[in-house]
């Protein structure tokens, strides 16, 4: 049956009214009167929105559901095109608005729509959480109704592209699971290396953490594996084809993060080690920088709910921030949630595949994709017992399918933040974690002085001795045997050392049962974590200001280790670096030289040890492997490894000096890392001239740091030195002294260039000057700039 969106949303608004408002009073009166009043459908009672001097909306509602309605509304008010682009993409409805070049993207996304029992999925989510999610959806639609009724309110992208925003439905949150390849590309790379007998080279590009022995699964023909096995995902997960060339769209919910960089920092400090006598929680998620801002800061207040922090546009609730009871943050825990399976097709009937000793028929779904200006396209989507079929190749008698945790029943992401925001303590959070499939190190600190860490997210129970590191035969021997979640994952509560930190390092306890439940092997190198530990251990009484300073730390452990390995022979490059402290400050000339040298050294070492046939598969070298080869050169560098190392080092120093001179001028005293490492934020569709004209870039900021500093500012692997990602949102929470908390959100709250909050946090972010995050009613009122009142039609008539 086709879903009637208008009728369905009316029903969800009624559900919100009946479930969350009985007996609750309207919000207390505000003074002065609102600057703007808007009549909205879907809210149960008037909702006040107080926007502060930095554009943060503080929502005051009479019920929890109305607070989430307010969040949906203000997110659409400030970030409608970003919100809509992500929604259209995950729903597989780009082509109907933007044309036939988006059909492959729609096809790929629809492969990852849940095809099971939606009624059962709804039943997994507690009624109160469903109601709040329905209200968030209704809030988005209320703003969409406003801008369609008054096109002058539409963001400029819609006029330029000739499109309108897509309305939402609650079932969208149950159905769309998001097309992701996870680490399947790593599996393919390893298979291809195994096919040429060089699986050992994988440790150069992606060392396994914890240490593990790679093995090819029995029955896997590695010679047949290639990137073509990703099928439609090779097209459908690429850059969006806006304009004359494909346009990378980053920092929105549909983004595919580069795994080599995805990460974050978080730490909690116990009251016993805090200068305030209260707990402190700091968090800075590392995401792409250069396009749409990945966080929107918002404050939700209602009876039984008071939460503030950074939200992801399109995801109801706060991802990192604090309630009136506890602070929370997150980093990526890297649970391996995807596997590639290779299927043998029946020669007599290619719609069947070998499984369990017989032949099993693919389940098929026919989808009709609406296409702007053209006839609809019909696509057939196949599913094996493992998941979506990516490639179906009867001519070669094989197919590939992807198994993903997100496609399992109950693994929808759209309700987890609401559940976390509604929790009151550590115990109720552990119930909320059951709705959180994404891999996360969850950090917690409460007003009673407790702090904790829990790995959350789902992971598959692999069978047949599989570890998920290479593709597996899909004949049934290696099928997943279920899943496990937070209940079986590591945690700590009130650790004796008085602090806990995560920075994407391997934090699995030594006794974690990796053989029985392999969880993750792609933890990041521990440089950021080690630096955090050094600083925290040296501060017996850590303050909010100390946390803010640590988030801005530009000390690079790899830089210090490289300087210690410099050859003794004098030379201009070695001499400049020898006295350097390894801090990648914005005005450091040595930092600029180091980054140029680092890239050249990596390329030369790889050219020396990786055969030409494998070079494409090993494009970069991990930092630890680079330093290890310089520190203890081995036979991989030839018969005289030390001499080879010395020649490579000397050549790289010479080349780096010449390149620095070319880029920064002949006077090394004038070299500055920030002159190369600049922060530019532009519209992701700026290749379209009208978009570029309407959305001027935010640029000229000079940055320090790199991929390995606590203040992460990613450097591209191959070309250029611009900032490509890092900690765009930062928070330091004084737990219980809430109004002392600090934050930054690059470049600002609004995506509208006419708004004063389009770029007002860009300069403070570049300078590392954090802003207060008002929370108490008095602090919010003191910082208030504008007030909006959302009024349902019935209240208006009254």
């Amino acid at each position: 049956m086709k879903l009637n969106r208008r009728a369905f949303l009316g029903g969800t608004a009624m559900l919100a009214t009946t479930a969350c408002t009985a007996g609750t009073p309207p919000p207390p009166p505000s003074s002065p009167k609102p600057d703007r009043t808007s009549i909205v459908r879907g809210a149960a009672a008037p909702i006040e929105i107080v926007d502060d001097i930095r554009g943060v909306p503080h929502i005051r509602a009479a019920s929890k559901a109305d607070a989430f309605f307010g969040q949906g509304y203000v997110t659409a008010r400030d970030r409608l095109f970003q919100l809509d682009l992500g929604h259209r993409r995950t729903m597989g409805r780009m082509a109907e608005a933007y044309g036939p070049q988006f059909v492959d993207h729609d096809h790929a996304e629809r492969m990852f729509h849940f095809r099971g029992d939606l009624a059962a999925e709804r039943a997994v989510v507690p009624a109160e959480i469903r109601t709040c999610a329905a209200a968030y959806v209704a809030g988005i639609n209320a703003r969409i109704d406003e801008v369609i009724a008054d096109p002058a309110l539409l963001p400029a992208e819609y006029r330029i592209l000739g499109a309108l925003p897509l309305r939402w439905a609650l079932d969208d949150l149950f159905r769309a699971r998001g097309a992701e390849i996870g680490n399947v590309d790593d599996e393919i790379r390893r298979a291809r290396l195994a096919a040429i007998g060089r699986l050992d080279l994988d440790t150069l590009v992606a060392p396994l953490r914890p240490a593990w022995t790679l093995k090819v699964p029995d029955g896997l023909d590695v010679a047949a594996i290639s990137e073509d096995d990703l099928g439609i995902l090779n097209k459908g997960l690429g850059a969006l084809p806006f304009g004359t060339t494909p346009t990378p769209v980053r920092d929105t919910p549909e983004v595919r993060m580069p795994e080599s960089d995805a990460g974050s920092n978080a730490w909690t400090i116990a009251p016993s080690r805090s200068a305030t006598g209260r707990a402190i929680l700091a968090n800075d998620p590392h995401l792409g920088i250069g396009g749409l801002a990945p966080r929107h800061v918002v404050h939700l207040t209602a009876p039984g709910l008071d939460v503030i922090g950074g939200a992801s546009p399109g995801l109801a609730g706060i991802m990192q921030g604090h309630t009136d009871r506890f602070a929370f943050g997150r980093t990526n825990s890297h649970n391996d949630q995807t596997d590639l399976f290779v299927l043998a097709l029946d020669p007599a009937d290619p719609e069947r595949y070998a499984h369990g000793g017989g032949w099993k028929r693919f389940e098929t779904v026919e989808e009709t994709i609406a296409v702007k200006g053209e006839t609809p396209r019909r696509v057939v989507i196949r599913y094996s017992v493992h998941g979506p079929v990516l490639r179906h190749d009867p001519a070669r008698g094989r197919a590939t399918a992807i198994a993903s945790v997100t496609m399992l029943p109950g693994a929808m992401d759209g309700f987890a933040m609401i559940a976390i925001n509604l929790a009151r303590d550590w115990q109720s959070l552990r119930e909320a974690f059951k709705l959180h499939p994404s891999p996360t190190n969850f950090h917690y600190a409460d007003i009673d002085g407790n702090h904790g860490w829990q790995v959350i997210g789902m992971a598959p129970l692999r069978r047949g001795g599989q570890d998920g590191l290479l593709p597996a035969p899909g004949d049934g021997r290696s099928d997943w045997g279920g899943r496990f979640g937070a209940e079986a994952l590591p945690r700590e509560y009130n650790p004796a050392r008085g602090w806990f930190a995560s920075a994407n390092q391997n934090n699995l306890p030594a006794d974690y049962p990796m053989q029985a439940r392999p969880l993750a092997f792609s933890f990041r190198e521990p440089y950021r974590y080690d630096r955090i530990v050094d600083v925290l251990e040296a501060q017996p009484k850590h303050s909010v200001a100390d946390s803010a300073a640590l988030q801005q730390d530009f000390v690079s452990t790899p830089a210090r280790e490289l300087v210690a390995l410099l050859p003794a022979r004098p030379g201009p490059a070695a001499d400049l670096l020898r006295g350097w402290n390894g801090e990648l400050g914005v005005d450091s000339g040595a930092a600029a030289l180091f980054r140029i040298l680092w890239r050249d050294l990596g390329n030369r070492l790889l050219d020396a040890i990786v055969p030409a046939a494998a070079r494409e598969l090993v494009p970069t070298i991990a930092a630890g492997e680079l330093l290890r080869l310089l520190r203890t050169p081995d036979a991989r560098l030839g018969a005289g490894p030390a001499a080879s190392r010395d020649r490579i080092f000397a050549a790289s120093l010479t080349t780096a000096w010449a390149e620095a001179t070319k880029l920064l001028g002949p006077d090394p005293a004038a070299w500055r890392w920030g002159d190369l490492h600049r922060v530019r934020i532009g519209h992701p569709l700026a290749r379209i001239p009208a978009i570029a004209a309407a959305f001027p870039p935010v640029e000229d900021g000079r940055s320090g740091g790199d991929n390995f500093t606590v203040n992460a500012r990613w450097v591209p692997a191959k070309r250029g030195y611009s900032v490509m990602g890092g900690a765009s949102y930062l928070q330091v929470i004084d737990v219980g002294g809430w109004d002392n908390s600090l934050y930054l959100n690059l470049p600002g709250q609004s995506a509208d260039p006419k708004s004063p909050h389009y770029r007002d946090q860009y300069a403070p972010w570049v300078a590392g000057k954090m802003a207060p995050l008002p929370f108490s009613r008095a602090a919010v009122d003191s910082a208030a700039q504008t007030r909006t009142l959302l009024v349902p039609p019935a209240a208006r008539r009254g």
Side-chain angles (χ1 to χ4, degrees), residues 348-677:
D349 183 357
E351 292 302 318
R352 302 196 306 172
Y353 60 99
H355 190 271
W359 298 105
K360 194 170 186 67
R361 187 165 296 277
F362 291 112
E363 295 183 17
T364 59
V365 174
E366 186 174 285
E367 286 273 338
T368 300
I369 298 174
V371 181
K372 182 179 182 179
E374 296 189 7
T375 58
R377 307 288 173 84
R378 287 184 171 83
V379 297
V380 174
I381 300 173
R382 296 175 176 85
Y383 295 90
S384 72
V385 296
H386 315 92
V389 174
L390 305 182
R391 185 185 189 194
H392 184 252
D393 189 354
R396 298 180 63 197
R398 65 194 294 277
T400 54
I402 187 171
S404 173
V405 160
T406 63
M407 293 294 287
L408 297 177
M412 52 275 178
D413 249 335
F415 305 91
M417 299 311 121
I418 300 173
I420 287 170
N421 296 169
L422 296 181
R424 300 298 292 167
D425 53 25
W426 182 248
Q427 286 305 119
S428 54
L429 274 170
R430 293 182 67 182
E431 282 299 308
F433 295 158
K434 295 176 182 178
L435 294 175
H436 194 295
S438 298
T440 300
N441 291 295
F442 190 88
H443 287 248
Y444 167 91
D446 67 29
I447 58 175
D448 296 321
N450 303 302
H451 71 119
W453 156 77
Q454 167 79 64
V455 179
I456 62 177
M458 300 173 184
L461 284 166
R462 294 180 170 90
R463 299 189 303 185
Q466 299 304 318
D467 52 25
L469 292 171
L470 280 90
D475 56 11
R477 292 173 295 165
S478 303
D479 290 4
W480 290 358
R483 68 181 182 215
F484 59 98
E487 72 285 349
L489 292 173
R491 68 182 67 91
E492 281 195 44
Y493 193 66
N494 291 329
R497 62 184 172 276
W499 59 267
F500 189 90
S502 69
N504 317 109
Q505 82 287 359
N506 175 18
N507 54 14
L508 294 178
D511 62 353
Y512 180 80
M514 283 294 284
Q515 291 289 346
R517 293 198 301 269
L519 179 67
F521 296 97
S522 58
F523 293 105
R524 300 300 176 251
E525 295 182 282
Y527 299 119
R528 286 182 286 114
Y529 175 76
D530 290 345
R531 174 62 179 169
I532 291 167
V533 171
D534 287 346
V535 172
L536 294 183
E537 287 288 354
Q539 295 172 335
K541 290 296 181 182
H542 183 89
S543 68
V544 169
D546 289 331
S547 272
L550 182 51
Q551 287 184 332
Q552 299 299 321
D553 189 278
F554 283 143
V555 171
S556 168
T557 300
R560 289 181 168 179
E561 293 185 7
L562 183 69
V563 167
L565 296 170
L566 287 168
R569 179 180 299 176
D575 292 346
L576 178 59
L577 291 171
R578 216 181 304 278
W580 179 47
N581 65 1
E583 184 171 351
L584 276 81
V586 65
D587 290 321
S588 171
L593 180 61
F594 160 73
R595 283 306 316 188
I596 296 169
L597 173 65
W598 183 267
R599 181 181 292 170
D600 191 78
L601 271 171
N603 288 333
R604 288 179 187 273
L605 286 168
L606 289 177
D607 288 343
I609 64 179
V610 179
R615 190 66 171 85
E616 170 200 357
L617 299 172
V618 189
T620 59
I621 184 170
E625 294 300 308
L626 184 154
L627 292 166
R628 188 173 296 111
L629 279 166
L630 294 179
R631 188 180 297 112
T632 54
D634 56 39
R636 290 177 293 175
L637 288 173
S644 295
R645 182 270 318 272
D646 293 345
R647 285 193 296 271
I648 288 172
F649 218 147
S652 281
L653 285 165
T654 299
T655 298
W657 187 266
E659 182 70 7
T661 300
K662 174 184 174 183
L663 294 173
L664 296 167
D667 181 7
W671 294 353
R672 301 287 184 267
W673 173 223
D675 290 343
L676 296 178
H677 200 41

Side-chain angles (χ1 to χ4, degrees), residues 4 42 55 158 184-185 222 260 273 291 325 336 419 508 544 754 775:
N4 183 319
Y158 293 103
V184 165
D185 52 345
V222 292
S260 60
R273 292 186 65 100
R325 295 283 308 169
D336 180 359
L508 294 178
V544 169
K754 297 188 293 295
F775 182 70

